[in-house]
Structures are given as structure tokens and as C-alpha cells.
Amino acid sequence: MDRNFKALELDKVLNMLAKETTCADAYEQALTITPSYGLYEVNLLLKETQDAHMLSGRFGSPSFGGIKNVTNSLRRAEAGGCLTMLELLRISEALRVIRSLKQWRQKSAGIETSLDTRFNCLIPNKFLEEKINSCILSEEEMADNASPALASIRKKIKQTSAKAREVLDKMIRSATYQKYLQDAIVTIRDGRFVVPVKSECRSEIAGLVHDTSSSGATVFIEPMGAVDANNEIKVLLSKEQAEIEKILYDLSIQAGTLGDEIINGYNTIIDLNVIFAKASLAYNMKASMPIMNDKGNIDLHKARHPLIDKNKVVPTSISLGVDFDSLVITGPNTGGKTVSLKTLGLLTLMAMCGMMIPAGDNSQLSVFHQILVDIGDEQSIEQSLSTFSSHMTNIIQILKCADQNSLVLIDELGAGTDPVEGAALAIAILEQLRSQGSLIASTTHYAELKEYALQSSRVENGCCEFDVATLRPTYKLLIGVPGRSNAFAISEHLGMEASLVDKARALVSSENRRFEDVVQTLEEQRQGLEEQLRNAESISTAAKKAKADALAELDRIKALSAQELKKAHEEAQRITAKARSQAYALMDEMDAAKKKNKMSAEDKAKLKAGIRSMENSADPVQQINQDNYTLPRKLRVGDNVLIFDIDKKATVLEEEKGGNVLVQAGIIKTRVPVKNLRLLKGTVQNPIKRSTTRNVKSKLNMRGVTEVDLRGQTALEATMELDRAIDSAILSGITQITVIHGKGTGVLRTEVQKFLKSHKSVKAYRLGTFGEGDAGVTIVELK
């Protein structure tokens, strides 16, 4: 890696990125990422990362599995070579990942992204994937149904083996031969069925000796009656191996014809894995998308160094290249000057590598052709000439390479030699770099550089804030303010005698004292203004909160007012309708009286009574005359009362004070004169006592299972256990379970599949594929 990049610790960030990948080749690719130097290329890389960040946030990160590099295998298949079972299974796995990534992208098909070109390079081939999986059960086992010929050969092998075993079983059960046998068993040596015979009795059994035990007490003899069957098995095994090789060769040819397509898909998967790793790292860092330019403008908001614990790092804001081209950072040791330089350089490199940066939104960074660095972390007060020479060697190289497209970062410029000469040399170096058009950020302790920054155009002071009261840095970078080393204050707080510190102060030149006094005054004014700003922000926050509360209360009152107006409108409509009906009735009576041409006194009285009734009902404000009612007792809190003049029920909240009582009617609380209240019957409401009932808790375990292990069980035990597992899964809403029965002789697998075939809750089942357990498991899909 470039020395400058390593000094800024880009290698450590790339190592963090590599750990987010899932493929070995993607891991290596992440470690070898280098910055791009063109604005178009950088923006394209960042846009891919941003789109991956967006897709991961909305649909979850895609799975890349444990895909392996299949390039060499496919090239050998293209050349006519025969691949092994393991190589073909890895090709099948690559095809599976290609298909799953394609399906994942289809979930968000309506969203166009810059990654679409890469996803379009993925071409699934489900036919070849399934064919490989159906033929090859594991890296050492070929399925019986890989071809009709293989199935036939294996069937013959089983039949012939059964014949050979039958001959030998008769022999070991025979009383004639049992006395010659070491054990009454049939075993295999060199692929042939044999019986263990005592060494001293080997002449008693005619046959071929294939092996002897390590002790020499047993010889393994192939009886002559089994020779023909064993010979036939040998021939059949050779045919089986030849057929397996033929199947592997056919699969290799099919894979070879799709070699370029699969290799391109694999390379695309590796690229996508790295891009989504960048997105994952951005989530971990709480990073944002920077705005890139190629004009040298840098404006970082609340930037955080990515290698410092995110719970401890102090965000800092850094600007450079807009109002000034050179930044001179001063301040005490351990105050964060070097971290500020590294943050500036490292975040620029990360953006040029297509990574989002841990900084605030709308942060700006520039693309540079060169980032030249001289950063040393030496914090010793004893700097030898060799250290100074080393720094000068680096700076000389920087002076040779720097141009208008360079970002130059120098830590402790001019340190390690005589202060007067070092300060003069530092100013000369800054002047030279400025004349070459470079963008510069440097740290120093020299007061001469502070004065230089104050007097020079487009050169700005910066300092890392330090709290003298607590002797602790705040790690905040302040632009436009020169910093102080605070050596006297720190020494005094650490316990040095005041007289000694005063003597040291007296030895400082008057010009330096005046300059430091000005800096101290500026710092005090800045802190005072910041305190005022914090107070103003606090007051502003409180005012905004009070305004929001007031607006919320106003909205509540408006809503309540609108509700009351609606009720009043409805009541007015009811009164109007009633008055209208009464008026029509009076008109009918008047018409009837006119028809009689005579109105009696009784009719007139009825008519006047009806008019008065209509007037009373049309007037919603009713004056209720107070009667001579007296409360039967003094009102108590909780009494139900009637507000007499408005005919409204209420509840007493407080006892009588000054002739008035606080009551609540609906949502309204008001004080009402005692004489206007009527005590209602059934005053205080006792709490309703509810009968205690016993809660019955079911202890039924409704937790479903997704995997059931039947290994070591008999067929009856296995089917009973599997039936219980299926019932539990259905009750829990699980639609797929994995049944582990092992490979073995295949008897348990046969019984399990026979049971599943007849089970009414089973929709489908299949053997496991490579990575799921192969033929040792059965995947069951439930209805």
C-alpha cells in the first residue's frame, strides 16, 4: 500500500471492510481497493454504495452464501476435462447464489439503481443447477437415479452381493464349519466377501486367503463357493465407476459450455459482495453520502474518525479550500491535532474508494490526484537529529511531488530542531507549497506560524480546544482561532511552584507575552460568546416548546369549540323542526275555525296556548325559577347533584367554600352556588365488586419445531416422533421442517419417506441438497 495511505491508516479501514464480506475472493478484493482519482469514477462508486445502502435498508441485505471460486474448474471443463463431484457441487452452489441474487433484486424491481447493470450480468441456469444436485448427493456419493444405467448396475450389485452373502451365511451357520471360524460373521477384504478362519484351520476350508489379522491368529478366506459371485461384483463395481465417470464427464461438458457465463456471474457476485459490504460498514459507522467536487473544497460537519470507538469519539467540523487554502492547527499535546489531520485525510481517501463517510449530512470533499502526508506520532520531548532528518526527507519528497491537485498534511511542521530555525523553515515550506498550488493542513506549536497565519491571506489559524480548569482537551477543532500550548497553566496545575512558573513567564519576551495575552483574550471572548449562544439556544428551545404546547392547546380548544358548535347546530335544527310542526298545527286549527266562520272562546284559548307553547319550545334559554329547596344534609365529595338552572347532572369535587361548591359536569369543572344544587338519590357510587374468578392457564406447549432428529430410532419410534413433530409445526404455523435420518443403510430414510407419502398434512418432500445435509436429511413442506 502507498506509504501516505498507510500513514492515514486506510489499511485498517479496508480491513474493517473486508470483515463485512462473506466470500474469500471478495475479502481479498476489499483489502486491495485503491482510491480513484477522477470525479466521475468516484461519484459512480459512491452512487453504487448509496444504492446498496438504500436497498439493504428497505429489503435487507442479500445473501452471498459461501460461494467458492469456480473459474479454474470451468476452464478445465471447457478444455474437455472431467470435473470431480466437489467441483460440480461448487458450480451448482455458484448457480444457486446467482439465482437467489436475481430473485432478491426482483423484489424491488420497480426501483431503478446504478446496480442494475451488475444484476443484469447475473444469468441463472436452474436446469444445470438442479441436474447437478439431483445426480450428486455429496462430494463422495452419486445418486442412484443419476442415470438408468447406474441404477441398473447398482441393482445388480445388490442382488449379486445378496447371493454371495447367502452362500457365506449358510457356511457360518453350518455346524460343520463353525468350529473352524474365529467369528461367525461375514466381512469384506479388498472388495470381496470373506469369512474369518482360525489360522490353524485354514486348510479345512477351501478358498483364497486375502488377509491375515495383525496377531496372526485369523486368516480371511474367500470360500470357493463365493468366488464367482465376488468376481461378478468386482466387474459390476468397475462398470459402476465407469458409469459414474461418464455422468461426471457429461455434467462437465454442460458446465463447460456455460463457462464464460458462470465466470462472469461469479465475478459480478464478488463485486456486489464488496459493494454491499461498503453499505454494511456505512450502517455500522452511521455514515452519510458526501458531496464530491474536484475544486479542492472541503467542508466536513461533525466528522468522526472511523477507527475511534463511536461511543467515545468527539465529532469535529473541518473546512478547507473555500475561504482559505492553508490551515495551521495549534494547541497543546494530546489535544487532538493529529486526529484532526488524519480524519481529514482518511475521510477523503474513503470517499475516493467509494465508501460513505462518518460525518454529518451535506459534508463536502474533493477528489485529489495526490494526498501527501508526513505524520509522526512521536510525543517525546527528546527528538533526535535522525527524527528531524526523517521528517525533512519526507517533506523534501512532498515538495517535489506537490501540485495544484494535491492535499498536503504535515504533523508538527519544523519540530525537532532549534525553535527559531524550525519556525523559519516551517514558514518557508508553507510558502513554497502555497506557490505550488497545494491545499495544506499542518499542526505546530510555533507562535511564529500563528502570526504568519494571521498576517497572510488565505491562511487560517485553527486550534484544538483545551480546558485549562480540568487539564483535559475537548477535542473540538476551532477554525479562525489560534491555540495556546498552555505549558505554564498545565505545569502550575500539576503542582509546580508558582514562583518558578512566574520566573518562566518573565523569561518570555514581551512580544510573545503580548501575543499570548491577545490569544487568551480572544479565547475568553469566544468562550463567553459560546456560553451566550448556548443560553440563547436553550431559551429558544424552551420558547419553541412553549409555542408548540400553546398551538396544541389551541388546536384542542378549536376542536372542542367545533364539537360544541356542531351540537348547538343540531339542537337548533331540532328546535326549528319542532316549532315548524307546531306552527303547521296552529295553521290547520285556524283554517278549521275559518271554515266555521266563527271562533269560540274555547278555540281562541287553545290557539293562544299553542302559540305560547311554540314560543317556549323555540327559545333554548330557559329561566328556571328557584324554589324553596333545602339540602337534606351538607354536600360531600363524590355526591351526585343536579345543577338546577341548566338541568345538568354533576359530581361534587370539593366541599363548600364561601357558599360555592366545585363540581364537574362532563369535561367542565365549575364553581356553583350551593342554593343552585339539588342532591340526587344514590349519591356516592360504591365501587362495583366483581366476583373473583379462577384463571385457568393452559400448559400446552405450542412451540413448533423446524428440525427433528430420528437417528438411532426404530422405524416405529421414528414415525411416531415425526408425527408429533408435524402436528407441533402445523399448530405453530411452520410450513417446512427438516427430518434428520442419516445415510446408513437407507432403511430409516425409506420408512420416513413412506410415512410422509401417506401423511395428509404433507404437501411435498425431497432429499437435502449440498449444504443442507445431502441424503442424510429430508426436507418436508407442510400444507
Side-chain angles (χ1 to χ4, degrees):
M1 177 175 284
D2 185 283
R3 182 189 62 81
N4 296 291
F5 300 165
K6 197 163 188 178
L8 292 172
E9 301 177 296
L10 177 63
D11 56 327
K12 296 180 180 178
V13 175
L14 293 181
N15 190 55
M16 293 170 61
L17 174 64
K19 291 179 179 178
E20 297 295 329
T21 62
T22 59
C23 310
D25 285 353
Y27 185 94
E28 295 298 327
Q29 182 173 314
L31 291 177
T32 56
I33 289 177
T34 56
S36 296
Y37 300 101
L39 180 60
Y40 175 80
E41 292 82 0
V42 170
N43 280 329
L44 182 60
L45 291 172
L46 284 171
K47 186 66 171 72
E48 288 184 335
T49 304
Q50 185 185 34
D51 288 342
H53 188 267
M54 178 270 294
L55 290 173
S56 297
R58 295 185 62 177
F59 305 101
S61 299
S63 173
F64 294 90
I67 189 171
K68 299 291 191 301
N69 194 335
V70 293
T71 302
N72 291 337
S73 299
L74 288 167
R75 292 306 182 202
R76 207 168 74 252
E78 284 180 339
C82 182
L83 305 182
T84 65
M85 295 186 191
L86 178 59
E87 288 176 313
L88 287 167
L89 286 174
R90 286 180 175 175
I91 292 172
S92 172
E93 177 66 9
L95 290 170
R96 186 196 65 79
V97 174
I98 290 173
R99 179 170 54 84
S100 67
L101 285 174
K102 198 75 171 180
Q103 291 173 347
W104 180 87
R105 183 65 184 96
Q106 288 173 354
K107 293 192 299 185
S108 56
I111 304 174
E112 294 185 3
T113 69
S114 58
L115 298 173
D116 290 346
T117 303
R118 296 187 185 274
F119 277 103
N120 290 336
C121 293
L122 300 175
I123 303 175
N125 193 314
K126 193 174 181 181
F127 173 78
L128 180 57
E129 174 194 347
E130 291 181 344
K131 187 169 184 179
I132 293 174
N133 290 334
S134 64
C135 291
I136 303 174
L137 300 179
S138 69
E139 56 186 88
E140 296 178 351
E141 184 179 2
M142 181 73 72
D144 292 346
N145 58 356
S147 74
L150 182 62
S152 175
I153 292 169
R154 287 184 172 176
K155 185 177 179 181
K156 290 179 181 178
I157 290 174
K158 290 179 182 178
Q159 293 173 348
T160 307
S161 299
K163 290 179 182 178
R165 289 188 67 93
E166 185 179 354
V167 172
L168 297 178
D169 285 342
K170 288 180 180 179
M171 179 178 289
I172 63 177
R173 289 196 298 268
S174 171
T176 304
Y177 293 104
Q178 280 185 351
K179 56 186 176 181
Y180 305 131
L181 301 178
Q182 191 76 330
D183 293 301
I185 60 172
V186 178
T187 184
I188 295 176
R189 286 293 185 274
D190 298 330
R192 304 179 76 87
F193 288 104
V194 296
V195 292
V197 180
K198 295 175 183 178
S199 181
E200 64 273 13
C201 301
R202 60 183 176 183
S203 61
E204 302 297 332
I205 298 179
L208 305 176
V209 177
H210 285 276
D211 199 3
T212 304
S213 65
S214 58
S215 64
T218 305
V219 292
F220 296 93
I221 296 177
E222 178 187 3
M224 296 306 295
V227 170
D228 291 340
N230 279 331
N231 289 339
E232 187 177 352
I233 291 172
K234 273 286 188 181
V235 172
L236 289 171
L237 287 174
S238 298
K239 291 182 178 180
E240 178 191 28
Q241 188 59 38
E243 182 62 23
I244 289 174
E245 290 179 0
K246 179 177 178 297
I247 294 169
L248 292 177
Y249 185 71
D250 290 340
L251 291 174
S252 300
I253 291 174
Q254 294 183 49
T257 57
L258 300 171
D260 290 337
E261 186 178 291
I262 299 174
I263 291 170
N264 290 337
Y266 173 80
N267 293 332
T268 301
I269 288 173
I270 298 304
D271 293 339
L272 287 171
N273 194 197
V274 174
I275 293 170
F276 278 92
K278 292 179 182 178
S280 178
L281 185 63
Y283 272 111
N284 295 340
M285 291 183 176
K286 297 182 179 178
S288 64
M289 177 78 167
I291 301 171
M292 301 301 297
N293 64 82
D294 56 0
K295 300 177 182 178
N297 297 336
I298 297 175
D299 188 15
L300 293 171
H301 309 300
K302 297 182 179 179
R304 307 178 302 279
H305 196 286
L307 300 178
I308 301 177
D309 187 349
K310 61 184 178 182
N311 297 319
K312 297 179 181 179
V313 65
V314 178
T316 185
S317 297
I318 307 173
S319 59
L320 185 63
V322 181
D323 298 323
F324 51 90
D325 302 324
S326 301
L327 178 63
V328 178
I329 305 173
T330 52
N333 289 332
T334 71
K337 303 189 300 296
T338 303
V339 171
S340 297
L341 277 189
K342 285 188 172 183
T343 302
L344 174 60
L346 182 56
L347 265 57
T348 300
L349 286 175
M350 287 175 63
M352 292 169 64
C353 289
M355 288 185 276
M356 299 168 71
I357 61 171
D361 293 337
N362 299 318
S363 293
Q364 293 187 47
L365 285 172
S366 178
V367 175
F368 297 97
H369 291 175
Q370 297 179 100
I371 298 180
L372 306 172
V373 177
D374 180 56
I375 293 179
D377 293 330
E378 301 89 358
Q379 301 296 327
S380 172
I381 61 173
E382 297 178 355
Q383 294 187 347
S384 64
L385 181 62
S386 61
T387 301
F388 175 75
S389 300
S390 174
H391 284 293
M392 282 300 105
T393 301
N394 290 338
I395 291 174
I396 290 170
Q397 293 299 321
I398 289 173
L399 290 170
K400 290 180 180 179
C401 300
D403 57 20
Q404 66 273 17
N405 294 315
S406 301
L407 172 64
V408 179
L409 306 174
I410 304 177
D411 190 27
E412 301 293 349
L413 179 59
T417 186
D418 178 77
V420 175
E421 294 180 355
L425 190 59
I427 293 173
I429 291 170
L430 288 178
E431 282 290 329
Q432 180 61 32
L433 289 171
R434 290 183 63 205
S435 68
Q436 293 175 210
S438 300
L439 210 62
I440 312 162
S442 173
T443 66
T444 185
H445 283 285
Y446 294 140
E448 291 84 351
L449 265 70
K450 304 175 191 177
E451 296 178 14
Y452 168 74
L454 289 172
Q455 296 170 0
S456 303
S457 61
R458 296 195 69 77
V459 182
E460 190 60 86
N461 270 304
C463 73
C464 289
E465 189 179 49
F466 191 84
D467 190 344
V468 180
T470 61
L471 294 180
R472 290 181 180 178
T474 65
Y475 302 106
K476 292 181 180 178
L477 180 64
L478 307 175
I479 303 295
V481 181
R484 305 177 64 209
S485 297
N486 295 300
F488 296 148
I490 292 174
S491 300
E492 194 169 4
H493 277 79
L494 291 175
M496 185 175 285
E497 293 183 6
S499 59
L500 187 59
V501 176
D502 291 339
K503 185 177 181 180
R505 286 196 180 101
L507 294 175
V508 178
S509 67
S510 59
E511 291 182 2
N512 283 339
R513 284 201 301 271
R514 284 197 299 271
F515 180 77
E516 291 295 326
D517 290 342
V518 170
V519 172
Q520 183 176 0
T521 302
L522 288 173
E523 178 65 12
E524 290 174 353
Q525 291 177 353
R526 183 193 63 78
Q527 291 180 355
L529 290 173
E530 283 194 353
E531 181 64 27
Q532 293 178 13
L533 179 61
R534 283 193 293 269
N535 292 335
E537 288 177 347
S538 176
I539 294 171
S540 175
T541 302
K544 289 179 180 177
K545 184 178 183 303
K547 181 180 178 182
D549 292 343
L551 290 174
E553 182 64 17
L554 180 60
D555 291 340
R556 189 187 69 80
I557 293 172
K558 285 182 177 178
L560 183 61
S561 175
Q563 186 178 2
E564 293 297 329
L565 285 174
K566 182 180 179 182
K567 289 181 179 178
H569 182 66
E570 292 174 351
E571 181 65 16
Q573 286 181 332
R574 186 188 65 78
I575 293 172
T576 302
K578 184 177 180 181
R580 185 182 297 109
S581 64
Q582 291 177 343
Y584 287 153
L586 289 174
M587 290 174 64
D588 291 341
E589 292 180 6
M590 291 176 65
D591 290 341
K594 286 180 180 180
K595 289 180 180 178
K596 293 180 181 179
N597 293 325
K598 187 177 180 181
M599 184 177 293
S600 64
E602 184 181 356
D603 293 334
K604 289 180 181 180
K606 287 182 179 180
L607 191 58
K608 288 180 180 180
I611 292 172
R612 284 194 299 271
S613 175
M614 183 177 66
E615 288 175 350
N616 292 334
S617 64
D619 184 8
V621 181
Q622 299 180 2
Q623 297 294 332
I624 301 179
N625 296 326
Q626 295 286 345
D627 54 8
N628 296 324
Y629 177 81
T630 303
L631 290 170
R633 61 173 173 79
K634 188 176 180 179
L635 295 176
R636 296 192 293 267
V637 175
D639 283 343
N640 291 333
V641 295
L642 177 70
I643 305 176
F644 183 71
D645 59 351
I646 61 173
D647 195 27
K648 188 74 174 178
K649 292 182 180 180
T651 303
V652 176
L653 300 179
E654 293 180 0
E655 295 184 2
E656 179 180 354
K657 291 181 181 179
N660 293 326
V661 176
L662 179 65
V663 300
Q664 180 167 350
I667 63 171
I668 304 299
K669 294 180 181 179
T670 182
R671 289 195 177 274
V672 181
V674 177
K675 63 181 181 180
N676 194 30
L677 298 177
R678 305 289 185 268
L679 182 64
L680 299 177
K681 294 180 179 180
T683 56
V684 181
Q685 297 289 333
N686 294 325
I688 299 173
K689 295 183 179 179
R690 303 187 183 276
S691 59
T692 303
T693 58
R694 181 170 62 89
N695 292 327
V696 180
K697 296 182 178 179
S698 172
K699 294 184 178 180
L700 178 61
N701 182 13
M702 297 297 289
R703 184 175 59 189
V705 295
T706 60
E707 184 176 281
V708 56
D709 192 347
L710 305 178
R711 290 175 292 185
Q713 298 183 11
T714 64
L716 181 59
E717 292 172 342
T719 53
M720 292 176 66
E721 180 70 18
L722 179 55
D723 191 42
R724 284 196 295 270
I726 292 174
D727 290 344
S728 177
I730 291 172
L731 290 173
S732 302
I734 296 172
T735 60
Q736 180 175 300
I737 62 173
T738 300
V739 183
I740 304 174
H741 43 62
K743 298 179 182 177
T745 60
V747 174
L748 186 57
R749 176 175 60 197
T750 304
E751 291 297 328
V752 166
Q753 294 183 352
K754 185 186 298 183
F755 174 76
L756 293 173
K757 185 175 182 180
S758 60
H759 200 288
K760 62 181 181 181
S761 298
V762 174
K763 182 178 180 181
Y765 61 88
R766 61 175 175 82
L767 286 176
T769 60
F770 179 65
E772 293 178 330
D774 302 323
V777 302
T778 296
I779 309 300
V780 183
E781 185 179 353
L782 303 176
K783 295 180 180 177

